[in-house]
Amino acid sequence: MSQNRSIGIEKHRAVPPLHTLPEQVLNSLLYSSVFISCCGFCLTVETYKLAKLPVSLPMALFVFLATLFTYNLSSVQSLLRRPQQRKSKQSDAWAQRHKKSMALLGLVSISAAAGLYFYFDLHINRWLMLHLALISIGYTVPVGYKSRKVRPLRSVPLLKVFLIAYVWAVVTALFPLMDTGLQVWAHQALLLFARRFLFILALALLFDIRDYTYDRSTNTLTFPGLMGVRNTKLLSLVLLLLYVIISVSTETGPVQIALVASGLSSALVVFFSSEHKPRIYYALLADGAMLLHAGLIYLTLR
């Protein structure tokens, strides 16, 4: 979901270098966070479809660009702190070998997102957006306070997955509704938020499983460290079950079938996950579950 971590389903650290053109393209899409940003774009479009509202491409693009910036924030931070650092050509980690390019991508993304926000006058509560920005920055960037460095939020025991699910649910479920003038505290809006939160939280736990060995080496307490990998997978499946129950009780017809199908396919990804799976498994299947989720709804409601 390199040590570069950021809000959302987290990025992937060490991957062996790939040399063929298709593999290089795949690496670029996955580890520059373009793929995960496309997932954010598609979930935003899905929200409009579920609410039976016209799709706002500026809002979907805003979410795409904001996600791209957030996921590349650690590279931006690294470049700003050490602008003269040399490119690491020998590192196996794609992110390390392309850190400057990712930092540039992040800066361009946030500039473009700001331009979209003001040009199209997107109606997002600025206080809500500010607190999400603070969470995203605090998640990745350690903060200095009275000559002491406060560790980033991702290092707080057990908090990481909840922050990921919360930010993704707000941005992809509530932002689109807010932009259309709907009341986000309405019953149906909150149910949509709850569904999205449960779905993302179930997937976020998989990245704790993926990083189980690494987190143990850094003494970072996560759910697998607290309750074991097997019980963490069980917790993820329970969350998906709750997601399916809410979906069945709030939707009908083809939409209901599509949501249940996305829950079942995600359950298969959870079932076969382990700390020994290659990182590409999580990059394509765990993150890709969001893309499948949105794709099924789009095909149902197009």
Side-chain angles (χ1 to χ4, degrees):
M1 311 293 79
S2 162
Q3 297 272 53
N4 297 334
R5 291 184 172 189
S6 40
I7 243 354
I9 306 297
E10 294 197 61
K11 293 173 67 175
H12 315 281
R13 284 195 298 274
V15 289
L18 301 175
H19 303 292
T20 67
L21 181 59
E23 290 171 326
Q24 289 175 359
V25 171
L26 182 61
N27 251 3
S28 298
L29 290 174
L30 293 177
Y31 303 116
S32 68
S33 298
V34 170
F35 180 75
I36 190 70
S37 299
C38 287
C39 294
F41 176 94
C42 292
L43 286 177
T44 304
V45 171
E46 177 195 331
T47 297
Y48 285 110
K49 291 290 186 179
L50 287 171
K52 297 179 175 58
L53 296 168
V55 175
S56 169
L57 284 180
M59 174 57 75
L61 284 172
F62 175 81
V63 171
F64 171 86
L65 292 166
T67 305
L68 195 55
F69 166 71
T70 305
Y71 270 83
N72 286 300
L73 181 57
S74 57
S75 294
V76 173
Q77 173 206 205
S78 176
L79 184 65
L80 292 177
R81 287 187 173 183
R82 294 179 296 162
Q84 302 302 322
Q85 62 183 295
R86 294 183 177 181
K87 181 179 179 180
S88 177
K89 296 182 178 180
Q90 303 303 319
S91 175
D92 282 347
W94 190 96
Q96 291 298 318
R97 289 184 285 115
H98 299 83
K99 185 174 291 186
K100 288 190 175 181
S101 298
M102 292 166 63
L104 179 61
L105 181 62
L107 292 172
V108 170
S109 298
I110 192 60
S111 300
L116 275 174
Y117 176 80
F118 289 108
Y119 183 80
F120 290 99
D121 190 25
L122 300 179
H123 295 93
I124 307 171
N125 184 285
R126 294 186 180 182
W127 290 108
L128 180 63
M129 192 161 55
L130 177 61
H131 103 280
L132 292 180
L134 291 176
I135 291 175
S136 300
I137 294 171
Y139 182 90
T140 303
V141 181
V143 179
Y145 177 71
K146 292 183 178 181
S147 301
R148 298 181 62 185
K149 184 177 287 187
V150 180
R151 62 183 181 176
L153 293 174
R154 70 185 183 211
S155 300
V156 177
L158 307 180
L159 182 63
K160 181 173 63 177
V161 292
F162 293 104
L163 291 178
I164 291 170
Y166 172 71
V167 172
W168 272 81
V170 171
V171 170
T172 65
L174 297 188
F175 273 16
L177 300 181
M178 194 178 298
D179 186 49
T180 59
L182 293 182
Q183 176 56 257
V184 296
W185 302 115
H187 180 65
Q188 291 300 318
L190 291 177
L191 284 174
L192 177 59
F193 171 82
R195 275 179 9 205
R196 191 68 50 82
F197 178 84
L198 290 170
F199 185 76
I200 299 297
L201 182 59
L203 295 177
L205 286 170
L206 296 186
F207 292 88
D208 273 358
I209 293 174
R210 184 202 67 183
D211 294 334
Y212 177 49
T213 302
Y214 173 81
D215 287 332
R216 279 195 305 175
S217 70
T218 58
N219 294 317
T220 301
L221 180 62
T222 59
F223 279 93
L226 176 69
M227 56 196 303
V229 171
R230 183 176 180 179
N231 287 333
T232 301
K233 290 169 64 173
L234 181 60
L235 175 59
S236 181
L237 291 172
V238 169
L239 291 170
L240 286 173
L241 177 61
L242 291 174
Y243 157 79
V244 168
I245 291 173
I246 295 177
S247 298
V248 169
S249 63
T250 55
E251 302 289 351
T252 58
V255 171
Q256 183 186 84
I257 295 172
L259 292 174
V260 171
S262 68
L264 293 176
S265 62
S266 298
L268 288 176
V269 176
V270 172
F271 182 80
F272 289 106
S273 65
S274 76
E275 68 270 34
H276 305 298
K277 288 285 186 183
R279 295 186 177 275
I280 199 73
Y281 177 88
Y282 297 94
L284 284 178
L285 297 184
D287 286 347
M290 294 186 289
L291 207 56
L292 177 63
H293 186 287
L296 289 173
I297 294 299
Y298 182 82
L299 291 175
T300 300
L301 297 176
R302 62 177 180 174

